[in-house]
Amino acid sequence: MTMKYLLFLGALNGALAVTLGAFGAHGLKNRVDAAMLDIWATASQYHFYHALAILLVGVLARQFGAGLTTAGWILFAGMLVFSGSLYVLVLSGQKWLGAVTPLGGVALIVGWLWLAWSLWRAHG
């Protein structure tokens, strides 16, 4: 069941990343400065990359076992904190949110390492 949720969340977040990327490119173009547009672009890039990663974890978990799903949930949390804090920073102008972003980045790194470790263990 968890694999199904990861596949669903990966696909849903892929669509959301494309939507938010387009919003940033078109809807924010005349509303924020170039530096803020770059921050938005980084958020949507990482959002999309990790939506694909979550899909990948869902597929791999079907093949190698449910032990991999923890990596998917860590990646999901990291994506939410990393990209989410950057989106809110750009929309709100609250610069302090930049201090939250690295926590999401650390979670993304941990998620990838967890995936690597889980795959290593799954292959014995």
Side-chain angles (χ1 to χ4, degrees):
M1 186 60 83
T2 299
M3 292 173 257
K4 179 180 176 180
Y5 290 129
L6 288 175
L7 292 168
F8 173 77
L9 284 173
L12 185 65
N13 275 282
L16 187 57
V18 172
T19 302
L20 290 172
F23 173 72
H26 303 289
L28 292 177
K29 194 172 191 174
N30 297 320
R31 297 175 190 244
V32 299
D33 64 26
M36 288 290 135
L37 285 177
D38 284 344
I39 291 170
W40 189 276
T42 297
S44 61
Q45 267 184 326
Y46 275 73
H47 190 169
F48 190 68
Y49 297 154
H50 289 89
L52 292 175
I54 292 164
L55 277 171
L56 176 65
V57 171
V59 170
L60 290 172
R62 286 180 184 249
Q63 182 175 351
F64 296 108
L68 272 68
T69 59
T70 300
W73 290 110
I74 296 169
L75 288 169
F76 180 66
M79 180 186 67
L80 285 178
V81 174
F82 183 87
S83 294
S85 65
L86 292 178
Y87 291 139
V88 174
L89 182 152
V90 171
L91 293 174
S92 70
Q94 298 294 315
K95 303 285 186 189
W96 65 269
L97 286 164
V100 174
T101 307
L103 299 173
V106 168
L108 293 173
I109 293 166
V110 169
W112 283 106
L113 291 172
W114 196 293
L115 178 60
W117 175 249
S118 297
L119 288 168
W120 180 266
R121 287 185 350 165
H123 274 279

